[in-house]
Amino acid sequence: MTKKPQQREYFLDSIRAWLMLLGVPFHLSLIYSSQNWSVNSPAPSEWLTLLNEFIHAFRMQVFFVISGYFSYMLFLRYSPGHWLKVRVERVGIPMLAAIPLITLPQFFILKELTNKIGNWSQMSPYQKYNALVWDLISHLWFLLVLLVLTVAGFWLFRLLRDGKREKADYSDLTWGKLTVVILLCALGWGAFRRLILFVAPQVTADGLFNMAVMQSLMYLPFFMLGAMAWKYPAIKALFVKPNPWTFLGAALAFAAYVANLTWSTGEGWMYELDTVASMLMGLWMVNVVFSFGHRMLNSHSPRVTYLVNSSLFIYLVHHPLTILYGIFVVPLIGSSTLGFLVGLVMVFGIAFLLYEIHLRIPLLRFLFSGKPQR
């Protein structure tokens, strides 16, 4: 364990906060997209559909790289047991608190005011269980995945820390080599899904399996890549140095991602192709986001600190606010663009107001941060 203080990574803090806050325009644009969501506008908007697909195609991959980076940094600072305890508390307490306080009321909103849940009274016990899993975890899925990756990190980080240091320090690592690795991971994910479809196809519709297993397997390579970026400075240097090929690759991967959503169907290879395109785009967007962030966001300011501190709470509460906005306000605004902009103002405004209220209540501060309150 090391007690040596590390220089604050301001640009990574900022990127992580902005990625969290992007959840608001992501879900608001989902209302106006061609995707079938909890609430939809009468007519989809092409540009908001593209915006929604763009955010969805890369945001969480980059987020899990940063999560792996900071998780491994803290792993080296504490003993493994203490690290596991702290990380599980910081992730698990907000997730468990948000279920009764946020997603359970959201479930009843969806059940009573929309058609998303379906005919509850005629569902089988398993169908009710599965609907509850999907809707009680809901947008908290990334916290569940973080919990799974944290438990996996308890062993994987020790292997990374204690493994014999290679003769090479990854100074010869290139984006081409990283692309091959992530492509193989995506193909492995697709092969595993096909195996599940062959052995037990009903499992692929199970909400808990999808989030705890399939999503965790998808984001594990990015989580470990972030940890390796902490251990090997050459990898981090590769991430923050702009590379025109990754910019081009990200654009082509996004085009492939949109084409797959447009022309593929769930009966074919849609999900496997989706994973290949989004994992490759996520990798290349690490360079796009890190290089811009390192150049433009690598400084300390009170406003950035406020956004960093508030981003998780804003993300947790914005989802039911967005659904309520879609139910009651969207039908009153004819323009998709105007409705989207009004939604940003209203959802962000109410969410930040709720954040300020929760700061004044120690119990809520604890529940939504997992940190002991003095």
Side-chain angles (χ1 to χ4, degrees):
M1 131 177 74
T2 177
K3 296 294 184 181
K4 182 180 179 180
Q6 303 291 339
Q7 182 179 359
R8 190 71 180 180
E9 304 280 6
Y10 292 115
F11 79 101
L12 290 179
D13 276 335
S14 297
I15 292 171
R16 180 171 56 179
W18 285 112
L19 290 173
M20 293 290 292
L21 294 174
L22 269 179
V24 178
F26 169 71
H27 286 112
L28 276 168
S29 62
L30 197 52
I31 294 175
Y32 295 100
S33 75
S34 58
Q35 305 293 328
N36 184 25
W37 194 51
S38 304
V39 186
N40 287 106
S41 63
S45 163
E46 291 186 7
W47 85 267
L48 287 171
T49 298
L50 280 176
L51 174 66
N52 178 266
E53 291 169 351
F54 176 73
I55 295 172
H56 184 63
F58 79 92
R59 181 171 69 106
M60 297 311 297
Q61 296 90 309
V62 179
F63 174 85
F64 278 105
V65 170
I66 298 174
S67 295
Y69 184 90
F70 284 124
S71 293
Y72 187 68
M73 176 191 74
L74 294 174
F75 182 83
L76 297 179
R77 186 174 298 175
Y78 305 117
S79 67
H82 182 62
W83 172 84
L84 183 64
K85 176 180 180 295
V86 170
R87 293 305 300 161
V88 168
E89 288 175 350
R90 297 284 176 86
V91 177
I93 290 174
M95 185 183 77
L96 293 176
I99 290 175
L101 295 176
I102 295 176
T103 59
L104 182 59
Q106 175 183 281
F107 171 79
F108 285 107
I109 291 172
L110 292 171
K111 182 174 177 292
E112 299 301 325
L113 301 178
T114 74
N115 297 320
K116 181 180 184 298
I117 304 299
N119 193 335
W120 180 262
S121 62
Q122 300 197 7
M123 287 183 178
S124 68
Y126 174 75
Q127 288 174 326
K128 290 180 178 179
Y129 149 80
N130 203 31
L132 282 170
V133 168
W134 281 110
D135 287 291
L136 292 187
I137 297 178
S138 183
H139 64 298
L140 311 178
W141 69 265
F142 85 97
L143 292 175
L144 176 61
V145 171
L146 265 180
L147 278 175
V148 174
L149 296 182
T150 296
V151 174
F154 180 73
W155 287 279
L156 294 176
F157 285 178
R158 284 193 288 186
L159 293 175
L160 181 62
R161 181 198 63 189
D162 300 336
K164 294 181 179 179
R165 191 171 183 85
E166 299 87 344
K167 293 181 180 178
D169 59 358
Y170 288 94
S171 58
D172 61 343
L173 186 66
T174 64
W175 283 106
K177 293 178 181 178
L178 273 177
T179 297
V180 171
V181 171
I182 294 299
L183 177 59
L184 290 175
C185 291
L187 293 175
W189 187 96
F192 179 67
R193 183 178 185 275
R194 284 286 148 175
L195 176 63
I196 297 298
L197 281 173
F198 179 75
V199 175
Q202 70 280 2
V203 174
T204 59
D206 186 89
L208 189 58
F209 178 82
N210 268 276
M211 289 180 274
V213 178
M214 299 306 291
Q215 293 285 67
S216 297
L217 288 175
M218 177 178 176
Y219 292 112
L220 178 60
F222 296 96
F223 188 74
M224 292 306 299
L225 189 58
M228 292 180 68
W230 172 267
K231 181 173 182 178
Y232 301 104
I235 298 179
K236 179 184 172 184
L238 184 71
F239 288 172
V240 300
K241 182 180 180 181
N243 186 312
W245 291 109
T246 63
F247 286 51
L248 176 61
L252 294 175
F254 179 59
Y257 180 84
V258 173
N260 181 53
L261 288 179
T262 303
W263 290 300
S264 295
T265 64
E267 290 76 20
W269 294 85
M270 176 180 179
Y271 297 105
E272 290 79 7
L273 293 173
D274 179 281
T275 300
V276 170
S278 61
M279 287 185 72
L280 289 176
M281 182 179 175
L283 173 67
W284 294 326
M285 284 297 291
V286 168
N287 183 232
V288 175
V289 174
F290 275 40
S291 58
F292 275 109
H294 189 257
R295 176 174 296 184
M296 302 173 64
L297 301 174
N298 201 21
S299 61
H300 171 69
S301 77
R303 284 177 294 181
V304 171
T305 300
Y306 181 83
L307 289 178
V308 169
N309 292 335
S310 65
S311 58
L312 175 60
F313 182 90
I314 299 302
Y315 179 82
L316 293 178
V317 302
H318 89 279
H319 200 264
L321 295 175
T322 303
I323 291 173
L324 288 171
Y325 177 81
I327 293 172
F328 293 109
V329 182
V330 165
L332 305 178
I333 303 176
S335 167
S336 296
T337 300
L338 179 60
F340 174 72
L341 295 176
V342 171
L344 287 178
V345 173
M346 290 185 65
V347 173
F348 269 125
I350 297 173
F352 276 111
L353 176 62
L354 292 174
Y355 174 71
E356 287 296 327
I357 293 173
H358 115 285
L359 286 179
R360 290 153 175 80
I361 305 173
L363 177 60
L364 289 180
R365 289 206 311 269
F366 167 69
L367 291 177
F368 285 103
S369 69
K371 301 177 182 178
Q373 301 298 306
R374 293 182 177 85

